[in-house]
Structure formats: structure tokens, C-alpha cells
Amino acid sequence: MPSTATDVFHQALEHLLAKDMPGFIALFADDAAMEFPFAPPGRPSRVAGRAELHDYLVDYPQTLDIRQIADVTVHETADPEVIVAEFTATGVVVATGEPYRLRYIAVLTVRAGRIVRYRDYWNPLAVQELFGEGVRA
């Protein structure tokens, strides 16, 4: 099991690229939360608990075929449990075959090797343009 917040983040990226959503979800604590501060109206701004996270994330590869994660920068903070990560995900929108490229900033809190809070910052306007309304990034 990864030990630092940075290690956990890098393992999460590996699971996303491998389309291993059960492995990605397993990195979260039972009471973890994902937050989407820029979520557009009608989309969740928070998903909490492993069951909700599973339901929200398990089919992600059927929405987005992420093929590359690049420009990864991890900023460690004064709190060893908290990191700020920047990265670009590229791939294909499964429903349309259109190319997908989006820059993300994520703030992760990791305790005992598990993600307890994942704040996901992305551009909702770019997402709505790619998918139309109501699709997650």
C-alpha cells in the first residue's frame, strides 16, 4: 500500500490509466468524500462514502477513455497529509469519439494510505462543451 499522499496520488493515476476503477475506488477510505467546487447546476458538488463513490466512479471508463495523463506536478504542503496536484488528462469521449483534453487541479487529503478527501477542480464550461449538460468530468 502506498504510504505518502504523493504515492497514493500516483497510484490513483495508474489505476485511472489502466481503467481499473475498483482499484481506484479502493484507494479511498470508507468515509471519504470527493468534492467538485466548480460542478455545474444539476451535477453533484459532493459524493461521500465508499458506496456513493463506487456508484459515481465505477463506469467512468465508459464515459471517458483516458489515454494519457501528462504535465503532472505535485505540490506538497506544510501538512504531510495534504497535496495539491496539477495534471492534464487526454483521451476520447466514448459516446462521440471526440478527443478529450482537460487540465485538472486536485487537492487530496490522505490518512493511513487512504484518500479521505479529494477536491477536484476542472473547467465546467469545457466539460459541457464536450459532453453537453449533465456529464461528469
Side-chain angles (χ1 to χ4, degrees):
M1 176 185 295
S3 57
T4 69
T6 299
D7 292 340
V8 171
F9 172 71
H10 284 291
Q11 185 157 16
L13 294 182
E14 290 174 19
H15 287 298
L16 283 175
L17 281 172
K19 298 166 187 39
D20 175 11
M21 297 317 292
F24 182 80
I25 295 162
L27 293 174
F28 287 82
D30 289 340
D31 60 348
M34 284 190 89
E35 298 170 355
F36 310 99
F38 298 145
R43 296 299 308 149
S45 60
R46 188 169 195 270
V47 179
R50 177 137 338 152
E52 279 188 34
L53 285 166
H54 175 272
D55 292 348
Y56 185 79
L57 294 168
V58 72
D59 293 328
Y60 188 80
Q62 283 74 50
T63 301
L64 284 177
D65 178 5
I66 300 297
R67 297 182 177 175
Q68 182 181 29
I69 297 175
D71 305 321
V72 178
T73 303
V74 176
H75 305 277
E76 295 184 354
T77 69
D79 181 343
E81 294 183 339
V82 177
I83 61 167
V84 177
E86 302 175 65
F87 60 98
T88 301
T90 58
V92 174
V93 178
V94 174
T96 64
E98 292 293 318
Y100 173 85
R101 178 179 175 87
L102 195 62
R103 186 86 176 137
Y104 293 84
I105 294 177
V107 180
L108 282 74
T109 303
V110 177
R111 278 190 203 107
R114 297 275 184 244
I115 300 167
V116 295
R117 186 174 182 204
Y118 189 118
R119 279 176 286 157
D120 200 14
Y121 295 88
W122 40 265
N123 181 346
L125 297 176
V127 170
Q128 287 179 332
E129 183 178 308
L130 282 168
F131 298 102
E133 295 193 62
V135 179
R136 65 179 164 251

